[in-house]
């Protein structure tokens, strides 16, 4: 791409100076300093990331399956700019028009017809929403235990970490195969239930994971359990559970009178082809719905909790001493308003379904060509593709149970990602054998075709390396 075609004015930045400051002062996560890869991005726009050398990358994973409406979405940015004419920050004891508008859009306009949702609280991140939802469930139920799925991901701070398979563990040096949990893990108030079966599991009767979950509920006693927190399509572990699972969890919660806390931070706002992931099934509604990411497409840091009517009424009567300086920040609320209005105006859920089907078919075509492609699972605009050896087994044996030790640059996901980056595509994932295809919902068919062409070549490269 020529510089004069850039969608921004080229800034005068000394990138080698920036690199030296970044390397010297910033505390990088997930990489040790000796393996840290400096990856500068000069600007983002629509579905692309722009590098200082003038190249651009098509973002095929929406960053962390988060930037749903493309980068610097015009409508969202206009709304934030307008809000900045009147607002900076005000605290939660005061109300901006944007806070009330965002709440009305969420509770009334999007899901009002379902008649289950009571209130919404807007926060600064998905993790913060998860943490608050745990407290709300415990206060409402008067019980402390939270059941949480193996392999799930809900954030990486000490509380949310207790919910995760990927639990803030530390590998002390890059040559070590040892990994250490944050001390205090596991907290007995969090109990693992089995991870759901994969989408291609051949099921006869009740899923084994659900049978085992019911045993655990009976063993602990439902009066001691506040709720079960679940992901629908897993974000960290990147797979879509078996179709019997979601309804099965809901039924268990109802049968045993425990709360269903649905963490829809990643799957909400069109990602799975619905506003929210529980809508995949008919007539099942969560007690607490946690959202973030797609709520404003990450134009600003965001998270939120939507309560059922009953839980809303419980907190209506109460004086709950909770809050953060950044609760319902007016600029964040403006970004939510801009994002939801633009999703409604552009009928994004419907177009996501059509374009998502196209993407899924293209991925299935790749599977016929490539023996290194195993399971493909997903829905809407989020698919995961597992890479396998010649026997159809995971190339890296730990697979989704990885503790991120050893030389990660040899893992298929990273080799795949680097090949794609060399060829103008930003695609990959954290699991060693799995890549995500989760572009912004604003992706065009031509852009999907471009990505599939690069992925086709990348899978050939994986076969050359591992088969
Ligand atoms: C399902 C799920 N829950 C919670 C979180 C944490 O959200 P945040 O990163 O906004 O704190 C994430 C982030 O990836 C997620 O995927």
């Amino acid at each position: 791409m020529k510089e004069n075609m850039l969608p921004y004015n080229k800034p005068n930045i000394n990138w080698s100076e920036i690199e030296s400051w970044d390397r010297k002062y910033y505390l990088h996560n997930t990489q040790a300093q000796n393996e840290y890869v400096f990856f500068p991005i000069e600007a983002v726009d629509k579905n692309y990331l722009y590098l200082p050398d003038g190249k651009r990358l098509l973002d095929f994973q929406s960053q962390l399956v988060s930037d749903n409406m493309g980068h610097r979405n015009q409508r969202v940015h206009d709304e934030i700019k307008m809000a900045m004419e009147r607002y900076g920050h005000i605290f939660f004891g005061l109300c901006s028009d944007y806070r009330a508008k965002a709440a009305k859009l969420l509770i009334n306009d999007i899901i009002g017809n379902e008649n289950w949702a009571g209130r919404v609280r807007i926060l600064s991140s998905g993790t913060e929403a998860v943490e608050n939802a745990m407290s709300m469930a415990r206060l409402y139920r008067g019980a402390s235990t939270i059941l949480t799925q193996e392999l799930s991901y809900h954030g990486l701070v000490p509380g949310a970490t207790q919910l995760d398979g990927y639990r803030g563990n530390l590998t002390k040096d890059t040559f070590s195969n040892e990994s250490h949990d944050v001390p205090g893990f596991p907290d007995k108030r969090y109990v693992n239930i089995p991870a759901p079966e994969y989408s291609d599991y051949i099921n006869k009767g009740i899923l084994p994971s659900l049978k085992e979950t019911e045993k655990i509920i009976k063993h602990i006693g439902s009066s001691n359990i506040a709720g079960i927190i679940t992901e629908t399509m897993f974000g960290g572990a990147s797979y879509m559970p078996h179709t019997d699972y979601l309804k099965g969890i809901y039924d268990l919660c109802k049968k045993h009178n425990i709360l269903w806390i649905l963490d829809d931070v990643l799957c909400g706002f069109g990602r799975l082809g619905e506003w929210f992931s529980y809508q995949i099934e008919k007539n099942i509604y969560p007690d607490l719905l946690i959202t973030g990411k797609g709520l404003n497409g990450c134009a600003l840091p965001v998270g939120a909790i939507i309560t059922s009517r009953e839980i809303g009424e419980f907190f209506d009567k109460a004086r709950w001493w909770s809050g953060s300086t950044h609760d319902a920040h007016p600029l964040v609320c403006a970004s939510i308003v801009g994002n939801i209005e633009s999703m409604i105006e552009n009928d994004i859920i419907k177009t996501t379904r059509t374009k998502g089907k196209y993407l899924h078919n293209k991925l299935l075509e790749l599977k016929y060509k490539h023996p290194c492609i195993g399971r493909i699972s997903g829905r809407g605009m989020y698919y995961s593709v597992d890479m396998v050896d010649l026997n159809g087994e995971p190339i890296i044996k730990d697979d989704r149970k990885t503790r991120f030790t050893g030389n990660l640059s040899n893992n298929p996901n990273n080799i795949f990602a680097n090949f794609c980056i060399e060829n103008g595509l930003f695609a990959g994932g954290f699991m060693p054998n799995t890549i995500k295809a989760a572009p912004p919902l604003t992706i065009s068919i031509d852009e999907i075709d471009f990505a599939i062409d690069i992925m086709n070549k990348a899978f050939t490269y994986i076969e050359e390396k591992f088969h």
Side-chain angles (χ1 to χ4, degrees), residues 96-316:
S96 70
D97 52 326
Y98 288 108
R99 182 174 87 179
K101 259 193 200 168
K104 185 247 181 198
L105 279 166
L106 282 162
I107 303 293
N108 187 70
D109 297 13
I110 300 182
I111 47 178
N113 62 334
E114 293 175 347
N115 233 9
W116 68 271
R119 294 194 172 269
V120 61
R121 169 111 184 264
I122 297 170
L123 300 156
S124 307
S125 70
T127 309
E128 196 188 356
V130 167
E131 295 283 350
N132 274 276
M134 295 307 103
S135 296
M136 291 170 86
R138 285 175 167 144
L139 287 166
Y140 180 75
R141 288 271 301 146
S144 63
T145 304
I146 302 283
L147 303 187
T148 167
Q149 301 157 300
E150 281 173 354
L151 300 186
S152 62
Y153 178 80
H154 299 284
L156 288 177
V157 294
T161 289
Q162 299 287 335
L163 300 168
D164 297 338
Y166 310 103
R167 51 204 193 204
N169 47 286
L170 180 94
T171 303
K172 282 197 174 155
D173 71 68
T174 46
F175 303 106
S176 162
N177 282 324
E178 257 181 53
S179 118
H180 302 264
D181 280 329
V182 177
F185 189 93
D187 176 335
K188 289 193 174 48
R189 296 176 307 157
Y190 298 90
V191 174
N192 271 163
I193 55 170
E197 287 74 9
Y198 290 119
S199 54
D200 53 1
Y201 176 82
I202 298 170
N203 188 29
K204 299 186 184 109
I206 298 170
L207 288 171
S209 63
L210 293 173
K211 273 193 199 156
E212 183 57 29
T213 299
E214 184 155 36
K215 262 197 215 160
I216 293 170
I217 294 172
K218 285 182 177 161
H219 177 72
I220 297 172
S222 53
S223 61
N224 297 317
I225 300 172
I228 302 187
I229 184 167
T230 64
E231 281 188 89
T232 302
M233 177 146 171
F234 279 45
S238 282
Y239 75 96
M240 187 69 169
H242 191 278
T243 48
D244 294 348
Y245 185 80
L246 195 64
K247 173 85 168 52
I249 277 287
Y250 171 80
D251 287 344
L252 276 183
C253 288
K254 290 292 133 192
K255 182 173 167 189
H256 293 280
N257 189 30
I258 50 188
L259 300 183
W260 179 29
I261 307 160
L262 177 59
D263 181 348
D264 231 13
V265 168
L266 188 141
C267 292
F269 288 91
R271 183 49 67 188
L272 298 190
E274 310 288 342
W275 277 104
F276 297 110
S277 70
Y278 66 84
Q279 293 165 330
I280 289 173
E281 297 287 346
K282 286 208 168 56
N283 301 323
I284 70 169
Y285 305 109
D287 297 292
L288 290 168
L289 178 70
I290 306 168
T291 179
K293 299 197 194 232
L295 176 56
N296 68 355
C298 292
L300 290 168
V302 75
I305 307 163
I306 296 176
T307 73
S308 67
R309 289 201 160 172
E310 292 75 17
I311 297 180
E313 282 159 17
F314 172 85
F315 282 98
D316 281 353

Side-chain angles (χ1 to χ4, degrees), residues 205-466:
I206 298 170
L207 288 171
S209 63
L210 293 173
K211 273 193 199 156
E212 183 57 29
T213 299
E214 184 155 36
K215 262 197 215 160
I216 293 170
I217 294 172
K218 285 182 177 161
H219 177 72
I220 297 172
S222 53
S223 61
N224 297 317
I225 300 172
I228 302 187
I229 184 167
T230 64
E231 281 188 89
T232 302
M233 177 146 171
F234 279 45
S238 282
Y239 75 96
M240 187 69 169
H242 191 278
T243 48
D244 294 348
Y245 185 80
L246 195 64
K247 173 85 168 52
I249 277 287
Y250 171 80
D251 287 344
L252 276 183
C253 288
K254 290 292 133 192
K255 182 173 167 189
H256 293 280
N257 189 30
I258 50 188
L259 300 183
W260 179 29
I261 307 160
L262 177 59
D263 181 348
D264 231 13
V265 168
L266 188 141
C267 292
F269 288 91
R271 183 49 67 188
L272 298 190
E274 310 288 342
W275 277 104
F276 297 110
S277 70
Y278 66 84
Q279 293 165 330
I280 289 173
E281 297 287 346
K282 286 208 168 56
N283 301 323
I284 70 169
Y285 305 109
D287 297 292
L288 290 168
L289 178 70
I290 306 168
T291 179
K293 299 197 194 232
L295 176 56
N296 68 355
C298 292
L300 290 168
V302 75
I305 307 163
I306 296 176
T307 73
S308 67
R309 289 201 160 172
E310 292 75 17
I311 297 180
E313 282 159 17
F314 172 85
F315 282 98
D316 281 353
K317 290 190 208 122
R319 184 183 298 139
W320 182 31
W321 202 243
S322 97
S324 145
T325 305
H326 305 280
D327 273 20
H329 192 293
L331 303 183
V332 170
C333 291
S335 69
I336 295 172
V337 169
N339 189 58
I340 295 179
E341 284 182 350
S342 119
M343 285 183 73
I344 294 171
E345 282 157 19
N346 294 298
D347 212 353
I348 285 291
I349 303 295
K350 198 161 152 206
T351 58
T352 296
R353 288 187 191 139
T354 320
K355 285 187 285 185
K357 204 173 241 175
Y358 182 84
L359 168 60
H360 190 212
N361 286 337
K362 287 282 165 188
L363 291 170
L364 291 176
E365 281 172 24
L366 287 185
K367 181 173 158 71
Y368 294 123
K369 283 193 211 161
H370 289 283
C372 77
I373 299 184
R375 176 186 307 104
I376 295 178
S377 72
R379 199 178 194 278
M381 201 65 93
Y382 180 20
Y383 297 94
S384 70
V385 182
D386 290 350
M387 293 174 281
V388 292
D389 63 18
L390 275 172
N391 300 317
E393 298 295 326
I395 295 170
I396 303 296
K397 296 304 163 210
D398 289 347
D399 198 27
R400 291 182 163 88
K401 295 213 161 121
T402 182
R403 297 280 286 170
F404 306 102
T405 59
N407 184 350
L408 302 181
S409 64
N410 288 339
N411 286 350
N413 64 324
N414 287 326
I415 293 173
F416 185 97
N418 287 334
F419 182 96
C420 288
I421 286 165
E422 286 295 308
N423 289 281
L425 185 70
F426 193 71
F430 292 117
M431 292 298 100
N433 301 304
T434 304
I435 59 112
K436 296 177 206 267
L441 312 183
T442 50
I443 197 87
S444 70
I445 294 293
D446 283 350
E447 287 167 337
I448 293 176
D449 287 342
F450 170 82
I452 291 290
D453 181 47
I454 306 298
M455 284 185 169
N456 183 22
K457 293 175 183 141
F459 286 124
T460 303
Y461 188 62
I462 290 290
E463 280 150 6
E464 284 164 10
K465 287 237 169 258
F466 292 102

